[in-house]
Amino acid sequence: MMTNGTVTLVGAGPGDAGLLTIRGLRALERADVIVADRLGARAVLDQLAAEGTVLTAEVIDVGKTPGHHPVPQHEINALLVRHARAGREVVRLKGGDPFVLGRGREEALYCEAEGIAVQVVPGITSAISVPAVAGIPLTHRGVATAFTVASAHDPIEQLPGGSDHTVVLLMGIGTLAHTAGILARGDRGADCPVAIVEDGYGPGERVTIGTLGTIAAVAAVRQVRNPAVVVVGDVVRLSPHASPSQTEAALLEKLLSSTRSDSARSDRKTLQP
């Protein structure tokens, strides 16, 4: 009778192989099969290969893009169990930390219900590591003593605190204008600072600074894209990127100038006989 293998949930961190834990690396080296996400996980595997680390496991890509999930979650769950039941050592490589908005426990529960042993190797969540790229601490003495991590799909209006309570939003670019509007109407106010860090630790790393009242417009002008982490709160002022400059004003003036031009053209068309 064949003995079941195991499933190990490994956090790949934000996508830099240098931030993968040693325990995570050892699990990858032992694996027969690696079931990998797109964000973070795939980049780590590519970097390890480029640096000469030889992994003999079969790699199965189950990566998702916004609005496109080629391998549904229930199929990922079944895939893990199928390979483990075949006696293989399976690593489920997930971006960030498996238990921070990563459905890690959901996958573990499924495997355990099917009699498969599961181990968890934590990873460095992008919610903390990516703001650090921009010099933003989520807590700072005299500025903020607590923080909340949420996805843009959560009920944002229920988030606690004012600008001294840091909010980190993952997957929040598509709903940025809506989210900023809701938070601005609360205790934080429209002047609460906001930072967006795109592609943290990646080649396209970029930081955009604004306020709840301006960030949607600034992000639109700069064509901000996912993957990105949004940080809201007074701690943003501690970032070296938040030093006074004309960048935001210039971007807003560009946007407003374009809006005025469009409005003028529309008025001319209306006045024509």
Side-chain angles (χ1 to χ4, degrees):
M1 180 178 177
M2 181 175 291
T3 303
N4 285 343
T6 62
V7 170
T8 303
L9 304 179
V10 175
D16 185 327
L19 297 179
L20 180 69
T21 65
I22 293 176
R23 179 172 291 188
L25 177 59
R26 297 292 177 261
L28 291 173
E29 292 172 335
R30 292 192 305 268
D32 299 306
V33 178
I34 299 172
V35 180
D37 277 348
R38 179 179 68 93
L39 291 177
R42 190 74 248 186
V44 163
L45 292 177
D46 291 343
Q47 287 178 37
L48 289 174
E51 293 170 2
T53 300
V54 177
L55 301 178
T56 59
E58 173 190 0
V59 177
I60 301 174
D61 194 335
V62 296
K64 302 172 183 177
T65 57
H68 180 56
H69 301 174
V71 184
Q73 186 63 51
H74 70 275
E75 291 186 16
I76 294 174
N77 295 345
L79 187 68
L80 300 176
V81 169
R82 184 166 70 250
H83 282 286
R85 280 188 174 153
R88 300 185 179 100
E89 296 302 308
V90 183
V91 166
R92 175 70 171 104
L93 189 62
K94 303 175 73 68
D97 181 275
F99 281 10
V100 179
L101 299 178
R103 306 182 80 167
R105 187 55 185 154
E106 180 180 328
E107 294 177 0
L109 286 170
Y110 184 91
C111 292
E112 290 165 359
E114 296 293 328
I116 304 299
V118 178
Q119 301 176 39
V120 179
V121 179
I124 299 177
T125 173
S126 60
I128 295 173
S129 59
V130 171
V133 166
I136 301 172
L138 300 189
T139 62
H140 187 85
R141 187 174 59 174
V143 180
T145 58
F147 67 91
T148 296
V149 179
S151 80
H153 309 296
D154 291 331
I156 301 299
E157 64 276 4
Q158 296 179 17
L159 293 178
S163 59
D164 59 345
H165 183 113
T166 308
V167 172
V168 182
L169 296 172
L170 306 182
M171 301 167 284
I173 300 305
T175 57
L176 181 62
H178 176 69
T179 300
I182 290 176
L183 294 179
R185 290 192 292 271
D187 292 340
R188 291 171 176 82
D191 291 332
C192 178
V194 181
I196 303 174
V197 187
E198 295 173 83
D199 195 24
Y201 295 94
E205 183 179 296
R206 184 173 65 154
V207 180
T208 298
I209 301 287
T211 66
L212 285 174
T214 66
I215 193 63
V218 173
V221 171
R222 299 198 79 190
Q223 298 184 337
V224 170
R225 297 286 183 268
N226 280 314
V229 172
V230 180
V231 185
V232 181
D234 289 337
V235 290
V236 170
R237 302 186 198 278
L238 299 171
S239 170
H241 297 276
S243 58
S245 70
Q246 297 179 345
T247 303
E248 181 183 331
L251 288 168
L252 282 174
E253 179 56 32
K254 178 180 177 182
L255 178 66
L256 292 172
S257 177
S258 174
T259 301
R260 287 193 293 265
S261 296
D262 291 343
S263 178
R265 283 194 295 271
S266 177
D267 289 343
R268 286 196 296 271
K269 289 179 181 179
T270 302
L271 293 171
Q272 286 178 355

